[in-house]
Amino acid sequence: MSHPVFFPSPISPLLYLFFSLSLLIYVTIISANLVIVLSVCLETSLHQPMYVFICSLCLNSLYGSTGFFPRFLMDLLSDTHFISHPLCFIEMYITTTYASHEVTLLTVMAYDRFVAICQPLHYHSKMTFRTVLLLLILAVLHPVWVLGCFFYLISSLPLCGNKMYRVYCASFSVVELSCVDTTVIRILSTFLAVITILIPLIFVLYTYLRILLVCRRSSSEFRGKALQTCLPHIVTFGNYCISLFCGQYKIDEGNTFVIIVLSLEFLLIPPIINPLVYGLNLPQIRGVIFSYVKIH
């Protein structure tokens, strides 16, 4: 399978600018998320449900970025832009499960904040270690199983073309190259989008609506504490929704470079924004990071 050339040719000096910028973004993503992961893992005071979920979100950013950037960086310095059929499906599976994991993790994080703010007396009895572990297992395995079955179906489709107008392998791009009728698969993909993305996002909106109603009836001190813990989640959720919307832009030969960047937004912005939002806004994580920097 081949990708179209969206960037300057190898003889153009701008190519090295694009490569350097992309490499800088990748290194920033790796470094920022690793800082959060190591802070949560090494500091015992952060071994609480909220921080464990944040750590999982950062691990997911590392997973998605590693599934995209290495091949993308090689493509920037390559004369040709080909990818084998197996590698295309591996990249497609990683980027899609990364996006789905982001949704499921945001869902369990919203539930955690809902219980902490709306049912504070029952928080420790509900959010036990076993419950947190089960929620994480469900958040990870649900997309893996559902999308695994879907990709197994499309992997057997006969293809009549090999050119995709995407910088990365996307499932709908492969389906469009199929030689056979794909109505059933398109219906199935819509159904999967509803159960893996739409329903969790509706649940997140519902929990934060309940949280806002509780905060409205509470004291200003309570509202301040609730906002301090919920604001990073709200920013992350809003950023992801924007990323998801931008990723739906269809790229063809007539589109501009801006559209290409928008289609990559869900792979670029959330992995950078998430660790910055949590690292700067949550005093517990910020304190651990600053104390570690001072020691060294």
Side-chain angles (χ1 to χ4, degrees):
M1 295 181 180
S2 64
H3 296 272
V5 181
F6 292 125
F7 299 96
S9 62
I11 60 174
S12 171
L14 284 177
L15 178 75
Y16 299 103
L17 176 61
F18 281 120
F19 178 83
S20 300
L21 181 60
S22 300
L23 182 60
L24 177 62
I25 291 173
Y26 184 41
V27 171
T28 302
I29 290 172
I30 296 295
S31 303
N33 285 279
L34 274 180
V35 167
I36 301 297
V37 171
L38 291 176
S39 298
V40 174
C41 291
L42 297 177
E43 179 59 42
T44 54
S45 64
L46 297 181
H47 293 175
Q48 301 176 36
M50 181 174 72
Y51 304 113
V52 172
F53 294 141
I54 291 172
C55 179
S56 302
L57 199 67
C58 291
L59 286 173
N60 187 52
S61 295
L62 294 173
Y63 166 71
S65 301
T66 305
F68 166 72
F69 273 99
R71 189 202 59 79
F72 178 68
L73 291 170
M74 288 189 292
D75 269 357
L76 285 176
L77 298 180
S78 176
D79 293 324
T80 58
H81 301 82
F82 289 93
I83 185 171
S84 67
H85 191 274
L87 286 179
C88 180
F89 272 85
I90 291 174
E91 181 184 68
M92 188 193 314
Y93 183 75
I94 290 176
T95 55
T96 308
T97 51
Y98 151 75
S100 300
H101 285 150
E102 194 89 358
V103 176
T104 53
L105 287 171
L106 287 173
T107 303
V108 297
M109 290 171 74
Y111 174 73
D112 173 70
R113 290 300 84 203
F114 169 76
V115 176
I117 296 172
C118 299
Q119 303 172 356
L121 298 179
H122 301 283
Y123 181 76
H124 292 291
S125 62
K126 285 191 173 184
M127 298 303 295
T128 62
F129 173 78
R130 182 179 179 182
T131 302
V132 171
L133 184 61
L134 288 175
L135 287 173
L136 284 176
I137 291 174
L138 181 62
V140 172
L141 293 186
H142 173 67
V144 168
W145 181 80
V146 172
L147 294 173
C149 296
F150 175 69
F151 283 122
Y152 176 77
L153 290 177
I154 65 175
S155 65
S156 59
L157 289 175
L159 304 180
C160 291
N162 66 347
K163 191 171 184 179
M164 296 184 295
Y165 291 99
R166 282 269 168 176
V167 194
Y168 60 92
C169 289
S171 57
F172 50 83
S173 298
V174 173
V175 172
E176 288 175 352
L177 296 175
S178 176
C179 304
V180 297
D181 180 43
T182 57
T183 303
V184 175
I185 289 181
R186 291 177 187 275
I187 294 173
L188 178 61
S189 65
T190 303
F191 173 74
L192 292 179
V194 169
I195 65 174
T196 59
I197 296 178
L198 184 59
I199 293 178
L201 291 184
I202 291 174
F203 176 79
V204 172
L205 289 173
Y206 168 76
T207 55
Y208 281 115
L209 178 61
R210 291 285 303 274
I211 289 172
L212 288 175
L213 292 175
V214 170
C215 290
R216 185 181 177 183
R217 300 191 299 264
S218 304
S219 64
S220 58
E221 182 182 359
F222 181 86
R223 284 197 299 269
K225 291 181 179 179
L227 183 62
Q228 186 182 61
T229 59
C230 286
L231 185 59
H233 302 303
I234 294 172
V235 172
T236 302
F237 174 70
N239 175 62
Y240 180 74
C241 290
I242 294 172
S243 303
L244 203 62
F245 174 75
C246 292
Q248 301 309 307
Y249 278 99
K250 184 178 179 180
I251 299 173
D252 55 43
E253 295 175 274
N255 287 133
T256 64
F257 178 75
V258 175
I259 302 300
I260 299 161
V261 174
L262 288 175
S263 71
L264 293 174
E265 210 267 357
F266 83 106
L267 288 165
L268 301 178
I269 304 302
I272 295 177
I273 294 297
N274 291 351
L276 294 179
V277 167
Y278 292 115
L280 295 177
N281 276 282
L282 295 179
Q284 294 84 352
I285 294 180
R286 187 172 65 243
V288 170
I289 295 174
F290 285 167
S291 64
Y292 184 81
V293 172
K294 289 179 181 178
I295 292 173
H296 292 77

